[in-house]
Amino acid sequence: MKILTAEFVRSVVQLDQIPKGGYPEIAFAGRSNVGKSSLINCLLGRKKLAQTSSTPGKTRMLNYYNINNMLYFVDLPGYGYAKVPEKMREGWGQLIESYLRESENLAGVIVVTDARHPLSELDLQMVSFLKELQYPTLLIATKADKLSAKKLSAQLRKNIQTVQKYGVEDILPFSATAKRGKRELWMAIDYLLQEVTP
Ligand code: GTP
Ligand code: MG
C-alpha cells in the first residue's frame, strides 16, 4: 500500500469513543515495550507518528491512526508491565478484551513478539483468545536486528512450534531499526484487507 496520508485520530479509553469512519481496522497487540509503536512508524514511514519510548507502558489507550482515509491502525496498550498498579492493569486488560470482543470492523490482529525470547504466557493467552474470537492473526518477531541470523532462525523455529496448536503457522521476522520485514508485513496486511473489502 502506498501511504498518501497517515494521521493520528484519537486516543480511546472507552469503546463509545471509537472513530465512526467505518474503515477496516488492523490492531497491534503485544507485550509492553516490545516495539509495537516503532513497528507502526516503520510501516508508515513516519518517524514519530506513534509515540515510542524506552519506558515500558507508554501506550495506555487504544490509539487510532487513519491511513489514506481507508483504514485504521489501532495501537493497543502493551500487556504485562509489572510496575503498573493492579487496578490500572486490569482496566487496560478489560479495555483490550472488550475492544476485541465487540469490534465491528477489525480485519485482523498483528501480535508483536520479541525475536530474542520464547513467547511469554501473555503472548500465548492473546493468541489463544484471538483464535477463540476467530480473528485472522499474524505473529511478528521484532527486534530481529538484535541477534545473529543463526540465533534468530533457531528462536523462530521454537516459537513457531509453540503456537502451532493455535493454528498459527509462521512468525515473520521484523526490525524497525533495520526496516526488515516491512514489505512482507504490508503484503500480509493487504491480504487481510482484501478479505474484508469488496
Ligand atoms: P508500549 O507502548 O510501552 O507498550 O511500548 P511499544 O511496544 O510501543 O514499544 P516502542 O515502539 O515504544 O519501543 C520500545 C523500545 O524498543 C524503544 O526504545 C525502541 O527504540 C526499541 N525498539 C523498537 N523496535 C526495535 C527494533 O526493531 N530494533 C531495536 N534494536 N530496537 C527497537
Ligand atoms: Mg507503544
Side-chain angles (χ1 to χ4, degrees), residues 39-161:
L39 177 143
I40 290 177
N41 286 335
C42 176
L43 281 178
L44 297 175
R46 305 286 198 274
K47 282 209 171 72
K48 290 186 176 157
L49 188 64
Q51 257 194 38
T52 63
S53 165
S54 49
T55 320
K58 190 82 191 163
T59 312
R60 300 182 176 208
M61 296 155 280
L62 311 181
N63 287 317
Y64 270 75
Y65 298 90
N66 175 337
I67 322 300
N68 292 352
N69 290 316
M70 58 178 288
L71 160 71
Y72 288 130
F73 273 3
V74 187
D75 193 2
L76 299 177
Y79 42 73
Y81 178 49
K83 282 191 188 152
V84 170
E86 192 69 38
K87 263 236 131 41
M88 232 168 145
R89 222 169 8 173
E90 266 175 32
W92 305 351
Q94 281 166 8
L95 181 65
I96 299 178
E97 182 177 338
S98 52
Y99 166 74
L100 292 173
R101 281 194 192 281
E102 291 167 39
S103 174
E104 287 171 6
N105 298 311
L106 188 55
V109 182
I110 318 280
V111 179
V112 186
T113 69
D114 193 317
R116 296 169 294 177
H117 306 300
L119 300 178
S120 71
E121 192 49 46
L122 290 168
D123 291 330
L124 294 175
Q125 278 177 25
M126 177 57 80
V127 171
S128 159
F129 186 50
L130 294 170
K131 181 173 193 279
E132 182 190 322
L133 297 176
Q134 298 185 316
Y135 285 121
T137 301
L138 293 171
L139 253 74
I140 303 298
T142 195
K143 304 192 183 177
D145 57 284
K146 291 203 175 209
L147 66 183
S148 69
K150 200 170 159 201
K151 287 200 168 137
L152 175 66
S153 63
Q155 191 65 58
L156 276 176
R157 209 165 358 173
K158 284 188 202 151
N159 291 0
I160 289 169
Q161 269 179 9

